[in-house]
Amino acid sequence: MDRLVKTDVQELHLQFIKGKKCSSTFKLTNLMHTMSVAISLTTTNPSIFSISKPLSIIPPLATSSYTLSFSQTCSNNIPPQAARMDTIMVRTSMLPTGKAHQDDLRRLFSKPGRHIFKDAMISIFFVGPHVVEYLISYSPKTLEVTLLLPKAISGCDEYQLNYLLKQAAKMGNPLFVSSLIDAGADVNSRDSEGQSAMSIGVEFGNVKVVQVLIESGFVMNRKFDWFLHVATAMDCVEMLEVLCLGYDDIDVNSVDSKGQTALHVASIHGHVEVVRFLISVGSDPDIADTKGWTPLHFSAQEGHLKVVKVLLDHSIFSKNTVTKEGKTAYALAAERGHDHLYDMLHLEDLLHRAARVGDVHSMKSCLAEGGNVNAKDQNGWTPLHRAVFKGHIECVKLLILHGAVVDTVDDEGHTPFYLATEAGHSQVSLHLISHGAKANMKSLERKNSRDWNCFKNHASSVVKPLTQERY
């Protein structure tokens, strides 16, 4: 005979509740038709478990009930089972007399031999939300923990599973998240404030957890879910990639309560790689928030050089957009003293305007603040191009005095000298020639007329004395 008794269960589940004792019952049935069986029940951890009737006798074909109790309350209110299983060992021996005292039974099982049968091993598992929370939060991520977790989850209701799903998302273990969802946790459950397991996973930067939640069918709610904004603030490009790949219809230009997109957030924090990524997936750098601030305004104010460069390369209006307070990105940078941004943010825009209208005073201020005298606009014009085209001789003199290159060409290959002559400003042209300007090829090609030749002859007669006078 292989065994003398049979058990009604192979596992005992103890519903662990913090601060309370717990117990579970099981039954043994004598398989012998004519003979009583002596029973010995021991646990692998007798210091914390107690068993009713650890030594007993079961009559022929009879059944007896037993109770396993967790015999102490843990002072720290956590289950004693860290990453292992406990068991009850069921040993038996035939008892022809059918009767024996406890001391007799003790002596019977104290001596090993062929008369002792090891009939069964009953596994002991703590179950319930407190156990799951403990395993999620404190246990090492071992194979045995992955075996214990499904058992512990079996003692949880749906409400508890939903709570535990959020805890697992926080701790960043995708296996635990999957196990809870498989057990019945609702991936779309939210608390009273709208917080979900997904929002927690994103907030804590747990990319693999977020992937599991997306694959499990999480549905975003635009009222609560600002995942792109959160991931952006954390400078987590990988999280942004997962979100954009997981949701084809995700709105990369969605705005929060301040009217700010994720690109605004990235610009505020100076996360240049995030800025590049968001623009690559369609973020609009020219969107202004409720106060009229574009991402460029924020990056300029904070002095984020690399971000400013990227935004300028991709924006259309931001450079000249003013906030509701009437400030450009340059003005905000100037307020904070970010002089390394002046050229990039086109302090020279003011210089260009002053050169165009002939405002020498404003030009002096721009140059004193560090404006680039040779900065080009979108057409390749420098302030000198503008000043000579309008014939503002005093502006021309000031610009050359501050180092303006007299022969720089615009996108069409035109020099300031060419523009001056085409506009008929001979005094300006003479001043340029006196400072080394040369007629470029396009000037010769386009002004090969009698008037042009007359002007050139006149210029030569005047320039020579001027040149001699300089030296």
Side-chain angles (χ1 to χ4, degrees):
M1 178 177 289
D2 293 332
R3 45 183 194 154
L4 304 180
V5 298
K6 68 175 182 180
T7 63
D8 66 334
V9 294
Q10 293 181 333
E11 298 175 356
L12 280 182
H13 292 179
L14 296 176
Q15 188 77 25
F16 179 85
I17 301 175
K18 291 180 179 179
K20 296 183 178 180
K21 293 184 178 181
C22 53
S23 62
S24 184
T25 61
F26 61 100
K27 296 178 180 180
L28 297 177
T29 299
N30 185 351
L31 298 176
M32 303 290 289
H33 287 73
T34 60
M35 189 176 297
S36 296
V37 174
I39 305 294
S40 171
L41 302 174
T42 56
T43 65
T44 51
N45 200 345
S47 62
I48 64 171
F49 294 113
S50 62
I51 302 177
S52 64
K53 303 182 293 182
L55 295 170
S56 63
I57 301 172
I58 305 178
L61 298 179
T63 298
S64 181
S65 296
Y66 300 85
T67 300
L68 174 76
S69 299
F70 174 47
S71 59
Q72 66 181 32
T73 302
C74 295
S75 59
N76 55 2
N77 283 333
I78 62 173
Q81 192 175 25
R84 58 180 176 76
M85 294 179 290
D86 288 304
T87 58
I88 299 173
M89 179 182 293
V90 181
R91 294 188 299 163
T92 61
S93 181
M94 289 185 285
L95 195 65
T97 61
K99 295 181 180 179
H101 295 290
Q102 289 290 306
D103 289 340
D104 296 330
L105 294 175
R106 201 172 288 114
R107 283 192 295 269
L108 175 65
F109 287 105
S110 65
K111 298 177 181 180
R114 296 177 62 183
H115 64 288
I116 302 297
F117 294 81
K118 295 180 179 178
D119 269 12
M121 299 284 286
I122 302 175
S123 299
I124 304 171
F125 293 98
F126 286 101
V127 301
H130 296 141
V131 182
V132 177
E133 188 172 16
Y134 170 77
L135 292 173
I136 290 173
S137 303
Y138 302 105
S139 293
K141 309 303 184 289
T142 63
L143 177 62
E144 195 164 4
V145 169
T146 65
L147 297 175
L148 291 171
L149 185 67
K151 305 297 183 183
I153 289 175
S154 66
C156 303
D157 59 29
E158 184 178 356
Y159 175 82
Q160 293 165 342
L161 289 173
N162 292 339
Y163 166 79
L164 292 167
L165 181 62
K166 297 180 179 65
Q167 295 299 107
K170 178 179 179 180
M171 297 307 297
N173 191 308
L175 178 61
F176 287 4
V177 170
S178 295
S179 297
L180 288 162
I181 294 173
D182 290 343
D186 181 2
V187 69
N188 287 300
S189 67
R190 298 175 184 269
D191 60 21
S192 59
E193 297 179 353
Q195 190 177 55
S196 63
M198 176 68 91
S199 61
I200 293 173
V202 173
E203 179 184 352
F204 282 84
N206 296 323
V207 176
K208 291 183 179 179
V209 165
V210 169
Q211 286 179 311
V212 170
L213 293 171
I214 292 174
E215 292 167 2
S216 298
F218 179 83
V219 178
M220 285 200 298
N221 183 325
R222 294 188 178 185
K223 181 179 179 181
F224 301 106
D225 301 331
W226 305 107
F227 299 151
L228 293 180
H229 293 67
V230 175
T232 293
M234 296 165 52
D235 197 18
C236 189
V237 175
E238 186 180 3
M239 181 71 76
L240 291 169
E241 291 174 343
V242 168
L243 290 169
C244 290
L245 287 172
Y247 296 101
D248 293 336
D249 60 344
I250 195 167
D251 183 4
V252 295
N253 289 311
S254 61
V255 298
D256 59 16
S257 59
K258 298 178 182 178
Q260 294 176 357
T261 65
L263 191 58
H264 280 91
V265 177
S267 301
I268 292 169
H269 292 281
H271 299 326
V272 64
E273 294 305 321
V274 172
V275 168
R276 289 194 178 101
F277 174 80
L278 289 172
I279 290 176
S280 74
V281 295
S283 291
D284 185 353
D286 289 311
I287 291 178
D289 66 9
T290 55
K291 295 184 178 181
W293 287 53
T294 66
L296 184 62
H297 286 99
F298 285 108
S299 59
Q301 183 184 58
E302 299 301 323
H304 300 312
L305 176 64
K306 292 182 179 180
V307 173
V308 168
K309 286 182 178 179
V310 175
L311 292 173
L312 286 175
D313 286 341
H314 295 87
S315 64
I316 300 174
F317 310 111
S318 296
K319 182 181 69 175
N320 299 313
T321 300
V322 295
T323 65
K324 289 187 176 180
E325 296 175 345
K327 295 180 180 180
T328 62
Y330 163 73
L332 294 167
E335 286 180 359
R336 295 288 184 92
H338 300 312
D339 54 4
H340 60 293
L341 299 180
Y342 288 173
D343 285 352
M344 196 175 305
L345 290 172
H346 297 275
L347 170 60
E348 57 270 15
D349 278 358
L350 300 178
L351 190 58
H352 275 261
R353 179 184 177 280
R356 178 170 56 82
V357 301
D359 187 346
V360 176
H361 176 73
S362 293
M363 289 178 64
K364 288 180 179 179
S365 297
C366 291
L367 292 168
E369 291 179 19
N372 184 354
V373 71
N374 291 306
K376 294 185 176 183
D377 65 10
Q378 66 272 21
N379 298 311
W381 277 29
T382 65
L384 186 60
H385 281 90
R386 292 189 177 277
V388 300
F389 185 69
K390 290 292 184 177
H392 300 312
I393 184 65
E394 294 303 319
C395 293
V396 172
K397 290 178 180 179
L398 179 65
L399 291 167
I400 292 176
L401 181 65
H402 281 81
V405 177
V406 294
D407 282 328
T408 188
V409 295
D410 65 11
D411 293 347
E412 297 295 325
H414 297 155
T415 63
F417 179 77
Y418 171 80
L419 296 178
T421 56
E422 188 168 83
H425 303 307
S426 58
Q427 185 181 9
V428 172
S429 299
L430 291 172
H431 190 76
L432 291 170
I433 290 175
S434 71
H435 285 82
K438 299 176 181 179
N440 65 7
M441 292 304 294
K442 286 197 174 184
S443 298
L444 292 173
E445 291 171 359
R446 297 195 178 193
K447 303 301 291 184
N448 193 17
S449 65
R450 185 180 63 180
D451 291 341
W452 170 243
N453 289 328
C454 290
F455 170 78
K456 189 166 64 170
N457 292 333
H458 172 71
S460 298
S461 65
V462 177
V463 170
K464 188 174 181 181
L466 286 173
T467 305
Q468 292 174 344
E469 186 177 311
R470 286 181 63 201
Y471 290 98

